[in-house]
Amino acid sequence: IELMHLATLVHDDSVDHSVKRRGMPMLNKVFSHEVAVIMGDYLYARALGALVRLENLTVVRIMTDVTAELAIGEMRQQSAVDTLDFTEEAYVKTVSSKTGSLLSAACEAGALFGAERHQAALAKYGDLLGIAFQIADDLLDYGDSAVTGKPSGLDLMEHKVTLPLIGALKAMSPAAKKRVEALFAEAEPPEELVAEVKGIVAESGGLSYAHRRGGEFAEAAHQTLSSVPDTPARAALADAIVYVMERVS
């Protein structure tokens, strides 16, 4: 599953033409986009080979299904580029496919080997945790890079509509919205305009809105654990929820 996750990162960075992740140069920058695509495919193949060796067809079904779902999520994300009409419902579907589906599959597959009767609850937990995680990640893109340790403003530079912007657009003044539209009209928005729109999103309540919605998904994830026995494993899953939300606290 970790190999599959790595494959999605390699492919995503190639699709997005990203040059660095966590400060390190990506394959598509060091070599080429062609090499990155081939390497992502190779990682998927190795992951599926490892799953087959478990000799459990249910696990193979779960993970091959999620491979298709991850591709659907990437296609949905592409539809969120260069459009301010991307709705919150479409955003949640996208992050559920791109992030929630993999965590859901990991939890569901894990349940088969130790908590089979809690398979459905743990699958739901993984999906909700993945959505909360992605909302937190999108919030970090509006933060101070000196504090978060991650480059900020990349989503706006790439014309991606994420939940902070969706929430802000609901309360934004016409003049403020025109500045957002001006950014989206620029093929390569200047840093000054990106910084201005980041401020507009914050002033329009987009960050607080996304933080609240992320908290709601995190709480829903916690509620799914109520049917799971109180064990160190369940405590670890609950701690994962706390970790996700502490990133943006």
Side-chain angles (χ1 to χ4, degrees):
I1 291 172
E2 183 59 29
L3 284 172
M4 291 180 70
H5 179 221
L6 183 57
T8 67
L9 299 182
V10 170
H11 279 167
D12 285 359
D13 286 331
S14 184
V15 169
D16 296 338
H17 293 266
S18 301
V19 296
K20 287 186 177 182
R21 183 177 287 272
R22 300 289 188 264
M24 298 296 291
M26 294 305 300
L27 282 173
N28 51 288
K29 174 64 175 177
V30 175
F31 298 104
S32 66
H33 291 293
E34 292 83 358
V35 169
V37 169
I38 293 168
M39 178 54 71
D41 291 345
Y42 173 76
L43 290 168
Y44 271 124
R46 290 300 301 268
L48 291 173
L51 288 168
V52 167
R53 285 193 290 276
L54 292 173
E55 298 184 354
N56 186 308
L57 283 178
T58 303
V59 172
V60 173
R61 176 192 59 76
I62 291 169
M63 298 315 301
T64 51
D65 285 351
V66 81
T67 303
E69 191 63 32
L70 290 167
I72 290 170
E74 184 59 36
M75 287 188 284
R76 281 178 173 155
Q77 179 168 291
Q78 293 306 308
S79 71
V81 176
D82 289 326
T83 174
L84 293 176
D85 296 328
F86 198 62
T87 65
E88 181 173 342
E89 180 182 7
Y91 168 86
V92 171
K93 283 183 178 179
T94 299
V95 298
S96 178
S97 293
K98 273 185 63 71
T99 308
S101 65
L102 188 60
L103 284 174
S104 176
C107 293
E108 184 178 5
L112 290 174
F113 294 93
E116 191 168 0
R117 64 193 180 97
H118 303 292
Q119 184 178 340
L122 291 172
K124 184 65 174 176
Y125 159 85
D127 181 45
L128 292 167
L129 181 68
I131 295 171
F133 178 91
Q134 190 58 57
I135 292 173
D137 213 53
D138 291 340
L139 276 165
L140 289 176
D141 196 64
Y142 283 83
D144 183 347
S145 58
V147 176
T148 64
K150 293 182 62 177
S152 67
L154 292 181
D155 288 339
L156 288 173
M157 289 180 187
E158 296 171 357
H159 299 177
K160 290 180 181 177
V161 179
T162 59
L163 193 57
L165 180 57
I166 291 170
L169 285 167
K170 297 176 182 181
M172 205 174 282
S173 69
K177 188 171 182 180
K178 284 185 177 179
R179 296 304 293 157
V180 178
E181 290 169 346
L183 183 149
F184 273 66
E186 293 274 0
E188 296 183 8
E191 291 183 9
E192 297 80 7
L193 183 55
V194 172
E196 181 186 350
V197 171
K198 282 175 60 180
I200 289 171
V201 170
E203 292 165 8
S204 302
L207 304 187
S208 57
Y209 178 83
H211 197 283
R212 177 174 63 80
R213 291 291 287 135
E216 290 171 358
F217 280 104
E219 176 57 28
H222 195 274
Q223 288 299 319
T224 64
L225 295 178
S226 61
S227 62
V228 178
D230 187 5
T231 64
R234 190 184 81 170
L237 295 176
D239 287 344
I241 302 171
V242 175
Y243 163 74
V244 163
M245 298 313 297
E246 279 186 344
R247 299 166 70 223
V248 289
S249 61

